[in-house]
Amino acid sequence: MYLYNLTLSRASGIQCAVYGNFSAPKAQEIVVSRGKTLELLRPDDTGRVQTIFSTEVFGCIRSLAPFRLTGASRDYIIVGSDSGRIVILEYIKEQNYFKKIHQETYGKSGCRRIVPGQYLAVDPKGRACLIGAMEKQKLVYVLNRDQAANLTISSPLEAHKSHNIVFCIVGLDMGFDNPVFAAIELDYADADQDPTGEAAGNAQKQLTLYELDLGLNHVTRKWSQEVDNGANLLVPVPGGADGPGGVLVCAENFIIYSNQDHADVRAVIPRRTSLLTDRGVLIVSYATHKQKSLFFFLVQSEYGDLYKVTLAYSGDTVTELKIKYFDTIPTCTSICVLKTGFLFAASEFGNHALYQFLSIGDDDDAVEASSAELMETQEGFQPVFFDPRPLQNLRLVDEVESMSPIMDFKVANLLKEEIPQLYAMCGRGARSTLRVLRPGLAATEIAVSPLPGNPTAVWTLKRSVNDAFDAYIIVSFTNATLVLSIGETVVEVNDSGFLGTVPTLRTQLLSDDSMLQIHPSGLRHIRADRRVNEWRAPGRRTIVKAATNEQQVVIALSGGELIYFELSLTGQLMEVEKKELSGDVVCLDIAPVPEGRQRSRFLAVASYDSSVRILSLDPEDMMSALAVQMVNAVPESLLFIDSPAADIAGKGEDATGAGGLFLNIGLLNGVLLRTEVDKVTGQLSDTRTRFLGTRPPKLFAVFVRGKRSMLALSSRPWLGYSDMGRYTLAPLSYEALDYASGFASDQCPEGFCAVSKGMLRILTLERLGEAFNQQVTRLRYTPRKFVVHPESNMLIVAEADHAAVPLAERAAMEDAMEADTAFTDGIEFDEDRAAVEEQHGAPKNSAGRWASCVRVLDPTSLQTSSVLELDGNEAAVSLCLLRFSNWPEEGMVLAVGTVQGLAFYPRTADEGFIRLYRFKDAGRRLELIHKTATGGIPGALAPFKGRLLAGVGSTLRIYDAGKKKLLRKCEHRKLPTHIATLATSGDRIYVGDLQESMHYFRYKANENALYEYADDIAPRHMTAALPLDYDTVACADKFCNIFVTRLPRDVSSQVEEDPTGGKFAGVAGLLNGAAHKLEDVVNFHVGDLVTSLQRAVLQPGGREVLLYATVMGAIGAMLPFTSREDVDFFSHLEMHLRQEHPPLGGRDHMSYRGSYFPVKDAIDGDLCEQFSQLPAAKQKSIAEELERTPGEILKKLEDIRNQVY
Amino acid sequence: MATLQDRFNINSQLEHLQAKYVGTGHADLSRFEWAVNIHRDSYASYIGHHPILSYFAIAENESIGRVKYNMTQKMLLPCGVPPEKEEEL
């Protein structure tokens, strides 16, 4: 088995974000790391955050830092990763890519304790950077520029200190004095040696300054001082001419200003009134805002509260430190203050957000803690309290969707649509959501209005070529034409000059601002001054088809005659040439006029004999055939599109060779062909095919991101556009349309208007580049697992939160509870209150306290039909649907595994239960049948031959139904750790252990015994398992790997037949293992923790793939190869790309994919797809090695992607 | 006096490794020391891999920053107080 890994939807969680000017001076940009992808984001003028560029780095990014050389106006990006190398990147705006400026190796690869990469600190003046490890090692690189103003990097200077754990490192602002880095360090040398524990108790964190002496080229430990033992984060304070310098030490409950030769200035962090007294307040992210005359810091606590920190100082002496409550937003991994007055918040889990500053919190009366008012009492420092309030200083401008983390997902077609939907359980705590994903772009309806009669076609026209927005919408019916004018409202007009009594075939705004209407009996040319020229079709012939651009018009008459017109310099449409064809024309199209040219050279004509001809429109060889392509069905529609790559071709390194003109042909059988047209000779080559749907695709040109793109209307609409330099054909999640045209107006700068079923619709696409569009509904607690009821199609979700207060006990809820007693098992708490909780976070409880519920949800309306809140500190951890064979009258029941008082480190629980529910009201409500104590944590449940199979702690057990309780029938006690996953197939049971990989079991009915016959040799920490066939299971582990494990064939048959009559049951393996061992057939490091695996076909006629969802919110697919030839081709392509295009982060691709286990029989499609980003010369050389052309390779890549969806 | 041979013998090579790479074992390594090293390495690895850190944060329902801080803090004494050294015989 060979698998091809393809990321369908990139990770959407953010690991860290940095702000800077990367593409141009003053450009407000954010570079984010999504774990293994690096992205450049930029808020556009309307405040929407746009992804400008995204690339996979095939490494684990751990830290990012922007830095700029003194006097420069743009920032570089330093990347600290698991590659054992420091990498400096520059964003190249013209070609839209990250250029690797420097890559210096300093250590082993991997996220190791003493190999730097975890911490990055830069000197604010851009003279040096420090890259540090969790322990011991710190390397300082001196950065400079050479005479040609190129960035140079020195060899590293060591600032190691053994036995020191590092909590944080920052670069201090020293003005132009020697660069200094500050670190929080904790020495463990003594604690390791002292058996009394006294040394460990006395261990003291130190704030240490490391000075880089630029003159001596040497790093020294300059100064060290004891610091609060709760210190976790440092914030550098502007120095030199801008401020007092030094550093803010953020510690649990305190922020302390500290500097060399300066007494500490300490202030308490205000805490929420509702917070339990034993909980501290830890600062987790910060941003500094610096203007000419003032600076302040925004810091965020672990609960999401933002504080504004200001310093009062004179000269170098800080007199007061103030911490003022600012606002509350969801907890972030990074926050960035943009110079334009925005705050970008990269949330830990759930959607990210862009906020606008309404004020900087100067003149409100929010709670403030000051160092001057610090009160020390006998129990420590006097705390300051506040209550979170709705946003006051910030205003939400844009939300960036994030699915991180996907806890569980399933693919099912519950809504009876053409393609199945993905149901993903995302988020955590109060920000949990159920998202229904459909492959395709989300189309937003701006307006829908009914039209009289049944429209056949629609166009939009501008008033002048230079206008930004459209002025008219022209709708054609079978016997009439309607002209609508776009203004404040859309109204019908009669003074446009268009003929209303005939149907229209085509309209066009010509380059001299005159308008053209083509109708069956002639051409109507409406000059800019409203004079009208008419051209009538000769004799009884009518115009059947027409194609136009701003300069040229071609019409096809019935009987197969082509007439070609050109716009003359005097503004007249002149007939230039005629051509008789042998038969009727089905469709035709003219290529757009290339920039700076008079006319386009190519006309494409399709006829009923299934041929497409390219005719020349050059005066020299007018109407001569340049090329012919035979297609396998009658064409329906033709469209020329410039390839998006065309405009960057030849501009240097990253330009692709694929730039060119493409002819798109929609065929009657629903297939879309895309053929490259040679821009000089008109020759057709390199045809790609794609099945779009059951209706013949009609093709229309629309503008997407300012580029002419293609809208193809089949049984669903598709959009062919350029996404980050790559041509993408993506379906729209919208109903079928009949006819469409581009549309631009004030409210909708880039959209399209379309007609379907007597309605005029104006649509816009908001989130381009996203593979799935989402429908979201809120959940109450973190979703753990869910199942789909096969008959009622209802979703049943188990939700549970650790250290949370159950809804009924929340103080804010009590009043509501009194008003409405049916509240906890009622429908859902109201939307306003949920929104507040989402903003402020759910209240915290002490460890070992749980809040949990089981929810039944209707997938059609996304409405909750019932919620059962669990009481008694129970948490639902597993669930399954089953039918008991000894209880057939009950039908399908739901088993929910719950655990009471679950606590971690170590994992203990008071008691576990299996609750059995029956369905009521057609599956909309649950009713408890009974509850059975299990004596352990029921981590996994599965139906097995009309009984219930349960993994209880490390015990595998079979239960049968009883009237009062579940009855234990059989058990196996000896699993190594804890059962995490259970799956069954026939007699076989596949058990995934929390730490010890897969175990295969068999149930012997006549002996009523479970016995283990095979296990894995590697200790895998299982998170998900999915049986592929009787012998094979696809699994995912906690260390971000996917693997497929298989029972060897001979063992499989032995086990099945077992002629000895149960001898195998008695055979014991060595060292407590099973008698047989599983073999890994595929091994692949995904680089992201996979939480769920599914098998699915994502499109009609598509192939079945293995889908996975991850903690960072990515969805990927593993496609099994069907031919040896493809395997060879792709493994060679992958091999060449590894050499020719090493990953951006500096990690070796093969070692990354084999981080834990050597990569086996899996080909990385994400790397292969980067082939299209290579410069043309490199593409060519790789293609030659593979004995193909670059076009063929690109085609293969596209084909294999199209097999998935 | 160290000769060329000494420099390449196995002991000095080991010493060099032990000095350079924290956690390199030796013949007299105790069970406790070994466990401490493994735990510190594991914590450092968890902190380095953001998805794994997030996974812990979800389980504990704490912020990622808090989980990271707790793990770094645990690196001080990952396996508790060291046992009393046995008297050398």
Side-chain angles (χ1 to χ4, degrees):
Chain A
M1 179 155 83
Y2 284 85
L3 295 176
Y4 183 78
N5 168 61
L6 206 55
T7 302
L8 300 184
S9 170
R10 288 191 304 269
S12 43
I14 292 179
Q15 182 249 334
C16 86
V18 293
Y19 159 77
N21 315 130
F22 302 103
S23 69
K26 300 220 164 69
Q28 303 294 312
E29 284 160 335
I30 299 150
V31 168
V32 299
S33 140
R34 300 196 189 269
K36 52 176 183 157
T37 46
L38 200 60
E39 274 182 26
L40 183 77
L41 308 180
R42 187 191 299 152
D44 65 10
D45 299 335
T46 58
R48 302 205 76 104
V49 179
Q50 302 286 352
T51 304
I52 307 298
F53 179 66
S54 166
T55 183
E56 181 115 357
V57 300
F58 305 107
C60 165
I61 302 173
R62 298 154 82 190
S63 50
L64 289 177
F67 101 96
R68 122 180 5 194
L69 289 168
T70 317
S73 54
R74 287 173 54 206
D75 292 291
Y76 295 99
I77 308 142
I78 310 182
V79 183
S81 67
D82 63 345
S83 60
R85 289 164 165 166
I86 184 168
V87 170
I88 302 183
L89 303 175
E90 182 184 8
Y91 176 70
I92 307 289
K93 189 185 178 188
E94 289 73 25
Q95 285 116 41
N96 193 19
Y97 78 113
F98 286 113
K99 184 178 175 186
K100 205 189 280 178
I101 308 275
H102 284 292
Q103 171 175 304
E104 296 296 324
T105 310
Y106 53 68
K108 289 187 181 188
S109 59
C111 290
R112 288 166 204 262
R113 173 150 62 117
I114 54 153
V115 179
Q118 183 67 40
Y119 299 110
L120 258 183
V122 292
D123 173 49
K125 290 282 182 277
R127 295 167 298 173
C129 74
L130 182 147
I131 185 161
M134 287 301 297
E135 186 182 317
K136 185 180 170 187
Q137 291 199 11
K138 290 172 214 72
L139 297 172
V140 178
Y141 287 88
V142 181
L143 303 162
N144 215 327
R145 52 159 77 93
D146 63 10
Q147 281 159 343
N150 295 320
L151 178 70
T152 60
I153 188 164
S154 71
S155 35
L157 305 169
E158 291 186 357
H160 299 346
K161 186 150 192 303
S162 302
H163 311 293
N164 258 311
I165 300 160
V166 178
F167 284 76
C168 186
I169 309 179
V170 291
L172 295 193
D173 189 351
M174 303 302 290
F176 284 101
D177 290 344
N178 279 332
V180 171
F181 299 95
I184 304 173
E185 296 177 331
L186 178 60
D187 192 306
Y188 66 71
D190 295 338
D192 267 3
Q193 301 304 326
D194 179 19
T196 62
E198 198 180 319
N202 293 337
Q204 180 68 43
K205 283 182 190 167
Q206 302 277 332
L207 176 68
T208 312
L209 299 188
Y210 291 90
E211 183 179 28
L212 165 67
D213 192 321
L214 285 170
L216 296 171
N217 205 22
H218 183 65
V219 184
T220 50
R221 253 175 105 86
K222 188 186 176 192
W223 178 75
S224 188
Q225 156 185 291
E226 288 188 353
V227 71
D228 191 292
N229 252 345
N232 71 316
L233 188 74
L234 293 174
V235 184
V237 177
D242 303 327
V247 70
L248 292 178
V249 182
C250 302
E252 215 164 348
N253 298 327
F254 298 104
I255 294 180
I256 305 146
Y257 173 81
S258 196
N259 200 359
Q260 195 177 0
D261 310 324
H262 192 292
D264 283 356
V265 183
R266 175 189 290 254
V268 293
I269 303 172
R271 52 191 289 139
R272 290 187 184 185
T273 330
S274 58
L275 207 58
L276 297 178
T277 43
D278 58 341
R279 290 196 70 106
V281 181
L282 201 67
I283 300 296
V284 293
S285 60
Y286 74 92
T288 308
H289 180 70
K290 205 168 104 179
Q291 282 172 341
K292 276 213 176 63
S293 54
L294 104 171
F295 63 84
F296 65 84
F297 312 93
L298 271 187
V299 298
Q300 191 183 34
S301 76
E302 56 183 315
Y303 310 108
D305 302 316
L306 284 173
Y307 304 95
K308 182 184 161 190
V309 180
T310 46
L311 292 171
Y313 64 96
S314 58
D316 287 345
T317 316
V318 172
T319 51
E320 194 184 0
L321 170 69
K322 286 187 202 161
I323 308 171
K324 188 171 187 179
Y325 173 64
F326 192 73
D327 261 335
T328 300
I329 59 172
T331 316
C332 296
T333 50
S334 296
I335 52 176
C336 304
V337 176
L338 277 60
K339 284 270 188 310
T340 41
F342 290 96
L343 178 78
F344 178 74
S347 302
E348 283 182 340
F349 302 108
N351 295 354
H352 315 297
L354 186 74
Y355 297 93
Q356 187 171 27
F357 282 97
L358 297 178
S359 70
I360 52 169
D362 272 344
D363 32 298
D364 58 5
D365 49 358
V367 173
E368 186 176 65
S370 159
S371 60
E373 292 153 19
L374 188 70
M375 297 271 283
E376 194 161 7
T377 61
Q378 279 172 338
E379 291 120 46
F381 293 97
Q382 186 83 46
V384 175
F385 292 103
F386 73 95
D387 282 309
R389 53 166 160 71
L391 290 182
Q392 209 168 71
N393 299 313
L394 297 172
R395 183 177 67 93
L396 184 67
V397 181
D398 188 24
E399 267 200 301
V400 185
E401 296 280 337
S402 165
M403 292 197 279
S404 164
I406 305 180
M407 299 296 290
D408 195 4
F409 87 117
K410 290 203 165 49
V411 185
N413 196 351
L414 304 182
L415 309 179
K416 304 280 176 287
E417 291 174 1
E418 194 186 43
I419 41 172
Q421 307 90 45
L422 274 74
Y423 294 87
M425 299 291 158
C426 308
R428 190 189 68 170
R431 306 194 80 203
S432 304
T433 50
L434 160 71
R435 292 172 193 240
V436 184
L437 310 178
R438 294 179 177 85
L441 302 166
T444 316
E445 276 175 3
I446 291 191
V448 179
S449 58
L451 288 168
N454 203 10
T456 54
V458 65
W459 296 270
T460 52
L461 279 189
K462 292 175 183 169
R463 203 161 269 134
S464 149
V465 178
N466 300 323
D467 280 2
F469 300 130
D470 288 315
Y472 298 111
I473 299 175
I474 295 124
V475 186
S476 172
F477 300 88
T478 40
N479 54 1
T481 298
L482 182 71
V483 182
L484 305 168
S485 157
I486 308 165
E488 293 279 297
T489 53
V490 175
V491 285
E492 185 179 347
V493 287
N494 297 316
D495 59 344
S496 57
F498 280 87
L499 207 55
T501 52
V502 290
T504 304
L505 290 174
R506 177 111 192 167
T507 68
Q508 172 75 42
L509 179 75
L510 297 171
S511 60
D512 64 347
D513 296 348
S514 58
M515 293 183 291
L516 178 71
Q517 178 189 18
I518 303 174
H519 51 87
S521 49
L523 267 57
R524 191 177 167 90
H525 184 202
I526 306 151
R527 306 280 291 267
D529 52 6
R530 292 296 154 97
R531 280 184 295 151
V532 172
N533 292 345
E534 287 265 11
W535 180 93
R536 303 221 149 267
R540 292 196 176 167
R541 305 177 90 176
T542 55
I543 303 174
V544 286
K545 296 284 165 189
T548 56
N549 61 30
E550 304 92 272
Q551 288 285 343
Q552 300 158 291
V553 178
V554 176
I555 53 171
L557 300 180
S558 51
E561 189 181 10
L562 288 180
I563 307 182
Y564 171 54
F565 300 86
E566 241 177 57
L567 188 69
S568 73
L569 291 174
T570 56
Q572 299 276 351
L573 263 187
M574 307 292 281
E575 189 178 322
V576 180
E577 186 71 38
K578 281 188 186 178
K579 184 177 169 89
E580 273 302 330
L581 295 176
S582 50
D584 261 334
V585 172
V586 203
C587 50
L588 68 172
D589 192 43
I590 308 184
V593 182
E595 215 169 301
R597 296 282 185 84
Q598 262 294 312
R599 60 177 73 82
S600 157
R601 195 163 170 243
F602 304 116
L603 166 71
V605 181
S607 40
Y608 282 103
D609 59 0
S610 301
S611 69
V612 178
R613 279 158 222 279
I614 301 282
L615 301 180
S616 167
L617 296 178
D618 221 22
E620 284 169 14
D621 50 354
M622 184 64 79
M623 290 291 170
S624 58
L626 297 175
V628 185
Q629 183 174 17
M630 298 307 292
V631 289
N632 54 13
V634 176
E636 163 77 17
S637 179
L638 293 172
L639 184 72
F640 279 105
I641 290 283
D642 272 314
S643 150
D647 49 11
I648 59 164
K651 272 195 191 160
E653 235 223 342
D654 203 48
T656 65
L661 186 66
F662 286 86
L663 176 64
N664 296 280
I665 310 166
L667 302 183
L668 218 52
N669 57 10
V671 169
L672 177 76
L673 301 179
R674 183 162 169 269
T675 304
E676 190 171 357
V677 183
D678 189 304
K679 278 186 163 172
V680 181
T681 63
Q683 284 302 312
L684 298 171
S685 60
D686 188 20
T687 303
R688 324 250 169 109
T689 52
R690 179 91 201 248
F691 176 71
L692 296 192
T694 47
R695 276 165 53 174
K698 284 189 207 155
L699 311 176
F700 304 95
V702 292
F703 278 85
V704 173
R705 290 184 182 146
K707 290 200 178 108
R708 198 163 173 268
S709 309
M710 177 186 68
L711 189 67
L713 306 181
S714 178
S715 49
R716 55 180 166 152
W718 293 70
L719 187 74
Y721 69 108
S722 147
D723 182 30
M724 288 182 286
R726 202 185 67 185
Y727 178 79
T728 342
L729 185 63
L732 304 189
S733 270
Y734 201 74
E735 60 187 275
L737 302 170
D738 295 334
Y739 205 96
S741 165
F743 179 83
S745 80
D746 236 357
Q747 294 88 34
C748 163
E750 220 166 57
F752 51 90
C753 75
V755 289
S756 72
K757 294 181 204 143
M759 302 290 259
L760 178 72
R761 293 163 197 272
I762 295 174
L763 307 173
T764 183
L765 303 172
E766 275 174 355
R767 300 268 173 215
L768 286 169
E770 283 181 10
F772 295 98
N773 80 77
Q774 310 180 356
Q775 231 182 317
V776 184
T777 187
R778 229 189 276 276
L779 300 177
R780 193 180 287 178
Y781 310 120
T782 312
R784 300 283 157 170
K785 291 266 174 357
F786 78 107
V787 287
V788 181
H789 194 286
E791 287 144 26
S792 66
N793 280 353
M794 294 297 233
L795 307 179
I796 300 121
V797 191
E799 300 169 33
D801 263 341
H802 180 233
V805 185
L807 204 60
E809 293 168 24
R810 289 182 193 170
M813 298 288 159
E814 271 163 11
D815 49 330
M817 283 290 294
E818 275 163 29
D820 179 10
T821 42
F823 184 56
T824 38
D825 40 47
I827 303 304
E828 191 45 87
F829 59 132
D830 65 282
E831 197 61 15
D832 296 344
R833 201 171 275 136
V836 169
E837 286 218 335
E838 193 179 326
Q839 191 74 25
H840 293 171
K844 291 271 182 208
N845 208 337
S846 47
R849 303 295 303 171
W850 287 80
S852 178
C853 66
V854 179
R855 170 190 304 265
V856 184
L857 221 142
D858 184 354
T860 4
S861 59
L862 285 185
Q863 294 290 319
T864 299
S865 60
S866 76
V867 185
L868 285 177
E869 184 87 17
L870 301 184
D871 51 359
N873 202 18
E874 265 180 71
V877 288
S878 55
L879 74 174
C880 83
L881 290 167
L882 77 160
R883 284 174 210 278
F884 283 105
S885 52
N886 66 346
W887 208 2
E889 66 278 11
E890 203 57 67
M892 187 158 279
V893 293
L894 174 74
V896 180
T898 65
V899 48
Q900 194 170 42
L902 177 63
F904 303 114
Y905 309 114
R907 181 175 46 245
T908 54
D910 299 341
E911 181 57 285
F913 299 100
I914 296 174
R915 287 165 170 248
L916 215 56
Y917 292 95
R918 68 168 71 93
F919 289 93
K920 288 266 172 179
D921 301 349
R924 302 182 69 84
R925 223 160 44 76
L926 297 172
E927 187 185 67
L928 184 68
I929 304 173
H930 52 60
K931 180 170 150 182
T932 312
T934 56
I937 305 167
L941 300 174
F944 180 68
K945 301 188 155 208
R947 292 167 163 197
L948 176 66
L949 187 67
V952 177
S954 58
T955 312
L956 185 65
R957 204 175 277 165
I958 294 177
Y959 282 103
D960 219 336
K963 289 279 176 235
K964 293 271 171 65
K965 257 183 156 193
L966 290 171
L967 311 169
R968 284 187 203 191
K969 288 294 173 191
C970 173
E971 78 175 13
H972 185 278
R973 284 208 188 121
K974 278 196 297 190
L975 272 128
T977 329
H978 180 87
I979 295 172
T981 68
L982 271 182
T984 57
S985 170
D987 269 339
R988 292 190 182 179
I989 301 167
Y990 311 99
V991 180
D993 188 88
L994 205 57
Q995 288 181 3
E996 294 287 342
S997 196
M998 288 306 293
H999 300 262
Y1000 284 22
F1001 277 79
R1002 221 177 121 88
Y1003 176 66
K1004 287 212 105 63
N1006 44 0
E1007 288 158 39
N1008 187 30
L1010 286 162
Y1011 72 94
E1012 182 184 7
Y1013 58 88
D1015 65 4
D1016 196 3
I1017 46 172
R1020 305 267 200 169
H1021 293 213
M1022 301 286 294
T1023 57
L1026 176 78
L1028 297 181
D1029 63 30
Y1030 206 41
D1031 293 331
T1032 319
V1033 184
C1035 314
D1037 75 17
K1038 203 171 75 179
F1039 301 104
C1040 313
N1041 301 304
I1042 283 185
F1043 62 103
V1044 178
T1045 188
R1046 180 175 279 170
L1047 192 66
R1049 186 166 294 167
D1050 53 327
V1051 180
S1052 176
S1053 55
Q1054 266 183 38
V1055 170
E1056 266 330 288
E1057 286 153 17
D1058 200 358
T1060 55
K1063 192 179 130 200
F1064 277 108
V1067 175
L1070 294 165
L1071 301 169
N1072 299 324
H1076 303 288
K1077 294 295 165 188
L1078 300 169
E1079 285 172 351
D1080 280 359
V1081 283
V1082 173
N1083 252 325
F1084 187 74
H1085 180 69
V1086 178
D1088 198 349
L1089 204 154
V1090 174
T1091 51
S1092 185
L1093 292 166
Q1094 282 285 301
R1095 287 165 74 171
V1097 178
L1098 285 183
Q1099 65 178 9
R1103 297 253 309 277
E1104 190 171 52
V1105 293
L1106 179 64
L1107 288 174
Y1108 59 84
T1110 72
V1111 159
M1112 293 298 279
I1115 294 177
M1118 306 283 268
L1119 175 80
F1121 280 107
T1122 45
S1123 78
R1124 185 81 220 173
E1125 210 176 312
D1126 279 354
V1127 175
D1128 279 348
F1129 170 77
F1130 282 104
S1131 40
H1132 279 104
L1133 178 63
E1134 188 187 31
M1135 181 188 81
H1136 284 292
L1137 278 165
R1138 276 174 180 157
Q1139 279 168 4
E1140 297 291 323
H1141 184 62
L1144 198 62
R1147 185 82 200 260
D1148 177 63
H1149 179 265
M1150 187 144 43
S1151 84
Y1152 173 65
R1153 290 303 185 195
S1155 286
Y1156 291 83
F1157 296 90
V1159 56
K1160 183 169 189 291
D1161 294 354
I1163 291 162
D1164 188 5
D1166 292 339
L1167 179 70
C1168 293
E1169 290 204 335
Q1170 291 198 347
F1171 179 79
S1172 65
Q1173 294 170 16
L1174 291 182
K1178 260 190 193 167
Q1179 283 190 354
K1180 213 163 165 219
S1181 75
I1182 292 176
E1184 269 167 18
E1185 297 272 348
L1186 295 170
E1187 296 173 346
R1188 283 169 204 257
T1189 65
E1192 283 169 358
I1193 294 180
L1194 290 169
K1195 186 178 167 187
K1196 270 208 101 99
L1197 288 168
E1198 223 171 85
D1199 283 349
I1200 196 154
R1201 187 173 255 275
N1202 292 348
Q1203 287 179 7
V1204 181
Y1205 84 106
Chain B
M1 205 176 117
T3 63
L4 194 65
Q5 220 163 10
D6 280 348
R7 206 172 349 141
F8 292 110
N9 76 22
I10 188 83
N11 282 331
S12 63
Q13 274 184 34
L14 257 180
E15 271 165 29
H16 173 74
L17 281 176
Q18 274 148 4
K20 193 169 174 193
Y21 299 110
V22 177
T24 311
H26 52 85
D28 300 326
L29 195 75
S30 73
R31 187 190 173 86
F32 176 79
E33 286 165 329
W34 181 83
V36 163
N37 271 321
I38 295 288
H39 276 80
R40 288 202 179 118
D41 285 343
S42 300
Y43 283 131
S45 171
Y46 297 153
I47 293 166
H49 291 100
H50 188 76
I52 301 181
L53 200 59
S54 308
Y55 193 69
F56 283 114
I58 296 162
E60 290 183 46
N61 199 16
E62 293 286 350
S63 86
I64 293 176
R66 168 64 81 171
V67 174
K68 185 176 166 186
Y69 172 73
N70 286 348
M71 288 195 171
T72 321
Q73 203 67 36
K74 277 186 200 161
M75 283 174 74
L76 172 67
L77 215 59
C79 305
V81 178
E84 296 277 350
K85 278 244 166 70
E86 283 171 35
E87 288 299 310
E88 302 234 348
L89 298 172

